[in-house]
Amino acid sequence: MVYTAEYASPLGMITLACDGEAITGLWFNGQKHFGSILPRETLRQEHPLFAKARRWLDIYFSGREPGFLPPLRYDSTPFRKLVCDILLSIPYGETMTYGEIAAEAARRQGVKTMSAQAAGGAV
């Protein structure tokens, strides 16, 4: 079963999803690919994982480093998983361009180059 709940962020409403063991998705409501991995039926119900996710988001949006992550699972293609791992490695308060993400993905895969557009699409 996939559970969903909402979070009121300073940037707009966010929908959270979890499978009971890990957070599996987070989307700004109304974005182009909103909920693209959600099954047709979800249970709109609170779950303890949502409290952890909301705590992380509250700390993050307050301008402080959360210092923890709730359990995450991203079931996707190997390339998208790689991009997610790279995103999670970006230090708090820093940024990385799609080109930099692509270069890091190429390095981790042992290839010479990778498309910044591919990295952006995975994000």
Side-chain angles (χ1 to χ4, degrees), residues 4-16 26-31 34-35 44 46 54 57 61:
T4 60
E6 291 199 330
Y7 172 80
S9 86
L11 303 175
M13 291 303 289
I14 293 174
T15 294
L16 306 165
L26 180 148
W27 300 270
F28 283 99
N29 292 6
Q31 75 178 27
F34 174 82
R44 193 167 223 23
E46 284 304 316
R54 285 187 180 104
L57 289 163
F61 283 122

Side-chain angles (χ1 to χ4, degrees), residues 2-7 14-29 31 33-39 49-50 53-54 57 70-75 84:
V2 173
Y3 304 90
T4 60
E6 291 199 330
Y7 172 80
I14 293 174
T15 294
L16 306 165
C18 81
D19 63 6
E21 295 179 15
I23 298 296
T24 57
L26 180 148
W27 300 270
F28 283 99
N29 292 6
Q31 75 178 27
H33 299 289
F34 174 82
S36 60
I37 64 165
L38 285 174
L49 286 169
F50 294 143
R54 285 187 180 104
L57 289 163
L72 303 175
R73 179 176 9 277
Y74 32 89
D75 297 328
C84 286

Side-chain angles (χ1 to χ4, degrees), residues 13-112:
M13 291 303 289
I14 293 174
T15 294
L16 306 165
C18 81
D19 63 6
E21 295 179 15
I23 298 296
T24 57
L26 180 148
W27 300 270
F28 283 99
N29 292 6
Q31 75 178 27
K32 182 178 178 179
H33 299 289
F34 174 82
S36 60
I37 64 165
L38 285 174
R40 282 184 182 250
E41 293 187 30
T42 65
L43 184 58
R44 193 167 223 23
Q45 177 180 317
E46 284 304 316
H47 189 281
L49 286 169
F50 294 143
K52 292 177 184 179
R54 285 187 180 104
R55 187 167 149 250
W56 189 96
L57 289 163
D58 285 342
I59 295 168
Y60 179 84
F61 283 122
S62 76
R64 295 175 290 137
E65 182 175 2
F68 71 95
L69 273 176
L72 303 175
R73 179 176 9 277
Y74 32 89
D75 297 328
S76 189
T77 66
F79 180 69
R80 284 188 173 178
K81 287 180 184 182
L82 172 63
V83 169
C84 286
D85 289 340
I86 293 168
L87 292 173
L88 289 170
S89 75
I90 300 170
Y92 176 80
E94 294 187 25
T95 61
M96 192 177 234
T97 67
Y98 292 153
E100 292 167 330
I101 294 168
E104 178 62 16
R107 186 190 69 74
R108 290 186 187 190
Q109 291 185 318
V111 297
K112 191 172 183 179

